[in-house]
């Protein structure tokens, strides 16, 4: 069990990240960044802390934020980052104020005892029984057996507060850079729907649809269809986001493949140090298993396409040194087709987090100022460590694969790095 002391999550300044001295190398290594944010209720404060460290890293290395994608509370953070990322601090201060002043809710001392254990219980009970003034409030009249029979139309909480809050802090977003992508689940079809700012206006109602947790919150109706939180699905947003980016690249015919860096801020971890015992522990463990491994399967699928791109580039380079022939002409034509498809190289930077000691009690519903401050500090710490690991791996052969919490064995005879991968 990790230590509960807040000292281990003390913020580190990003000055520990060494700047590149060679300007030419810095330009050559600059990448297009896709930021991917998960849901997780109050755990979204961790993403706030991570962004405080990630933005200076991106700016220092000349990386360009081209897309921000999110689900549930990650969609809210993604929207605020997309809107304010052009500020001098990348919107970090704005995002932190949003969490510390708008969302933070002082816990009611239902159990007036000292210590973190009881504080966690008070945070949970406050969230469950009183809600969060900026996001949701309980509908006590629905907390009965009749409500159980009609739960779709009689949810436990109402989320009108969230739309009002987002109207004031987010507004609308359309046709700007970076691309903003927000996912929700179509209740009728069961399909994931990706709302994106390139083709439609992202409104507070769209963000609310992405946060609509089944049973707890009401579905959100958009254009006659009902939507739930997209985290109920097992796949990630990454394939759909890259499909949108590929469409944009296809307008730039014969452009060289871009270098992408996918930054994943993940609040759930698939492994565990102990077996759950209580109902709430089992519920949170289920979420960790379902949500903690989403990207792994998409990454494996991407590897095939990226291996094809790498092979075509190698063949094209070899053919360019040969005398012109029908074979070299055919290779050149095929390579032009590859470029027209908008394929890209992708590296991954994964920011994961550890569970706090009493997190199994409150977690998603604890919006207390103490818990939010702790999550923000942990996000700063985790992102700083992830960046350092990424920079070390970037020049090291045979390092670990994408798996965030354990090593991936290197295939026999392979001379390629496993992290970052070409996917």
């Amino acid at each position: 069990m990790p230590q509960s002391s807040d000292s281990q999550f003390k913020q580190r300044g990003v000055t520990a990240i060494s700047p590149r001295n060679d300007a030419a190398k810095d330009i050559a290594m600059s990448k297009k960044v896709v930021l991917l944010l998960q849901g997780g209720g109050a755990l979204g404060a961790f993403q706030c802390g991570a962004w405080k460290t990630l933005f200076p890293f991106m700016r220092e290395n000349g990386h360009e934020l081209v897309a921000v994608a999110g689900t549930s509370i990650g969609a809210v953070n993604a929207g605020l980052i997309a809107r304010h990322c052009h500020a001098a601090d990348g919107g970090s201060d704005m995002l932190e104020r949003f969490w510390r002043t708008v969302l933070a809710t002082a816990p009611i001392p239902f159990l007036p005892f000292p210590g973190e254990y009881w504080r966690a219980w008070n945070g949970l009970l406050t969230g469950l029984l009183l809600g969060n003034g900026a996001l949701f409030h309980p509908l006590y009249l629905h907390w009965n057996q009749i409500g159980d029979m009609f739960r779709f139309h009689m949810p436990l909480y109402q989320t009108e507060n969230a739309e009002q809050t987002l109207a004031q802090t987010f507004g609308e977003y359309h046709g700007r850079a970076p691309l903003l992508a927000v996912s929700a689940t179509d209740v009728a079809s069961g399909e994931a729907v990706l709302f994106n700012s390139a083709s439609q206006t992202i409104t507070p109602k769209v963000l609310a649809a992405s946060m609509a947790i089944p049973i707890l919150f009401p579905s959100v109706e958009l254009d006659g269809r009902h939507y739930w939180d997209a985290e109920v699905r097992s796949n990630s947003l990454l394939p759909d986001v890259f499909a949108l980016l590929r469409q944009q690249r296809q307008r730039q015919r014969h452009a060289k493949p871009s270098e992408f860096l996918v930054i994943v801020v993940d609040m759930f971890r698939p492994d565990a140090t102990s077996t759950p015992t209580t109902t709430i522990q089992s519920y949170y463990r289920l979420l960790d298993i379902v949500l903690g491994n989403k990207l792994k399967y998409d990454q494996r699928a991407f590897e095939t396409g990226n291996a094809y791109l790498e092979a075509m580039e190698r063949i094209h380079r070899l053919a360019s040194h040969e005398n012109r022939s029908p074979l070299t002409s055919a290779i050149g034509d095929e390579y032009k087709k590859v470029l027209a498809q908008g394929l890209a190289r992708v590296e991954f930077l994964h920011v994961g987090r550890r569970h706090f000691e009493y997190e199994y009690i409150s977690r998603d519903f604890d919006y207390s100022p103490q818990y939010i401050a702790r999550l923000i500090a942990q996000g700063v710490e985790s992102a700083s460590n992830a960046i350092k690991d990424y920079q070390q791996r970037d020049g090291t052969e045979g390092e670990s694969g994408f798996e965030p919490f354990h090593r991936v064995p290197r295939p026999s005879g392979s001379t390629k790095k496993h992290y970052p991968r070409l996917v």
Side-chain angles (χ1 to χ4, degrees):
M1 185 69 68
Q3 294 180 356
S4 61
S5 172
D6 287 342
S7 62
Q8 66 174 320
F9 302 108
K10 184 180 180 182
Q11 295 186 12
R12 296 182 191 169
V14 296
T15 54
I17 303 170
S18 329
R20 300 181 187 273
N21 296 321
D22 188 339
K25 181 180 179 182
D26 182 61
I27 295 174
M29 294 298 291
S30 63
K31 299 177 177 66
K32 298 181 183 299
V33 174
V34 176
L35 180 63
L36 200 62
L37 304 176
Q38 273 192 318
L43 295 181
F46 175 81
Q47 296 172 344
C48 170
W51 181 244
K52 291 180 64 177
T53 300
L54 291 169
F55 178 75
F57 157 74
M58 290 166 47
R59 180 179 56 190
E60 184 176 281
N61 289 274
H63 299 328
E64 176 191 3
L65 183 65
V66 295
V68 191
T71 301
S72 196
I73 198 65
V76 174
N77 285 336
L80 293 174
I81 289 173
R83 173 169 285 281
H84 298 279
C85 68
H86 298 293
D89 65 348
S92 297
D93 288 346
M94 174 281 310
L95 190 61
E96 186 168 3
R97 287 196 304 271
F98 176 74
W99 277 95
R100 290 184 184 271
T101 63
V102 178
L103 297 189
T105 303
I108 304 298
F110 293 99
L111 302 169
F113 305 109
E116 178 62 22
Y117 177 81
W118 298 108
R119 190 217 59 76
W121 273 110
N122 289 327
L124 172 66
L125 293 175
T126 300
L128 287 177
L129 299 180
L130 301 180
N132 181 294
L135 295 178
F136 59 91
H137 63 269
L139 296 172
Y140 298 119
L141 293 179
H142 294 180
W143 292 17
N144 52 56
Q145 293 181 341
I146 300 297
D148 291 340
M149 296 173 62
F150 301 95
R151 186 57 66 205
F152 183 83
H153 298 287
M154 297 180 66
L156 298 173
Y157 300 88
Q158 184 55 267
T159 56
E160 293 174 353
N161 300 17
E163 293 188 39
Q164 295 172 3
T165 298
L166 293 170
Q168 298 171 359
T169 57
F170 171 73
E172 296 182 345
Y173 192 88
H174 177 69
R176 305 182 190 179
L179 173 73
L180 174 61
V182 174
S183 182
T185 301
D186 188 311
V187 177
S189 68
E191 295 294 324
V193 177
L194 193 69
F195 299 92
N196 70 90
S197 60
S199 60
Q200 59 206 136
T201 300
I202 305 298
T203 65
K205 203 173 187 69
V206 171
L207 298 183
S210 187
M211 291 192 295
I213 303 173
I215 298 177
L216 295 181
F217 300 153
S219 64
V220 175
E221 186 175 354
L222 296 168
D223 297 326
R225 302 191 70 85
H226 290 271
Y227 293 93
W228 271 339
D229 190 324
E231 288 290 16
V232 300
R233 294 180 51 81
S234 60
N235 54 329
S236 77
L237 305 180
L238 199 56
D240 292 333
V241 171
F242 266 92
L244 289 173
L245 294 174
R246 191 176 301 117
Q247 290 174 9
Q248 294 178 352
R249 280 185 50 78
Q250 285 174 344
R251 301 189 189 103
Q252 305 171 2
R253 298 183 61 84
H254 310 315
K256 291 185 177 180
S258 298
E259 300 280 346
F260 279 85
L261 175 61
V262 174
I263 302 178
V264 184
V265 184
D266 190 356
M267 276 95 74
F268 302 93
R269 56 182 301 166
D271 63 337
T273 57
S274 61
T275 303
T277 54
T278 67
T279 300
I280 196 165
Q281 282 180 313
S282 300
Y283 167 71
Y284 286 144
R285 182 71 195 119
L286 174 63
L287 290 182
D288 283 332
I289 293 172
V290 173
L291 304 181
N293 267 326
K294 278 193 172 185
L295 197 61
K296 181 174 70 173
Y297 302 103
D298 289 328
Q299 182 201 1
R300 290 176 178 174
F302 289 150
E303 288 174 352
T304 301
N306 203 86
Y308 168 69
L309 173 61
E310 184 180 345
M312 284 303 304
E313 287 183 324
R314 187 181 298 113
I315 294 171
H316 182 258
R317 284 196 302 269
L318 293 173
S320 65
H321 297 293
E322 299 294 329
N323 295 328
R324 185 172 181 81
S325 67
L327 177 58
T328 58
S329 297
I331 292 174
D333 292 341
E334 187 64 24
Y335 186 62
K336 290 179 181 179
K337 293 179 183 178
V338 170
L339 295 180
Q341 291 173 9
L343 299 180
R345 296 184 184 87
V346 182
E347 294 179 351
F348 284 88
L349 193 164
H350 182 275
V351 182
R353 62 176 297 271
R354 295 181 179 178
H355 294 165
F356 297 136
E357 183 175 4
Y358 299 115
E359 186 172 297
Y360 66 89
I361 297 173
S362 55
R363 205 158 87 168
D364 301 21
F365 274 85
D366 186 354
Y367 288 88
S368 63
Q370 302 96 318
Y371 188 56
I372 286 177
R374 197 177 182 192
L375 285 165
I376 291 174
Q378 188 190 36
V380 171
E381 174 83 359
S382 298
S384 180
N385 290 336
I387 289 169
K388 292 175 184 177
D389 291 343
Y390 167 75
Q391 290 176 326
Q392 292 173 0
R393 283 189 292 259
D394 198 30
T396 305
E397 290 293 332
E399 265 295 349
S400 63
F402 174 76
E403 304 294 338
F405 300 108
H406 62 278
R407 302 270 180 174
V408 175
R410 182 169 162 181
S412 175
S414 174
T415 59
K416 296 180 184 177
K417 290 181 292 185
H418 276 257
Y419 190 104
R421 291 177 183 264
L422 299 180
V423 300

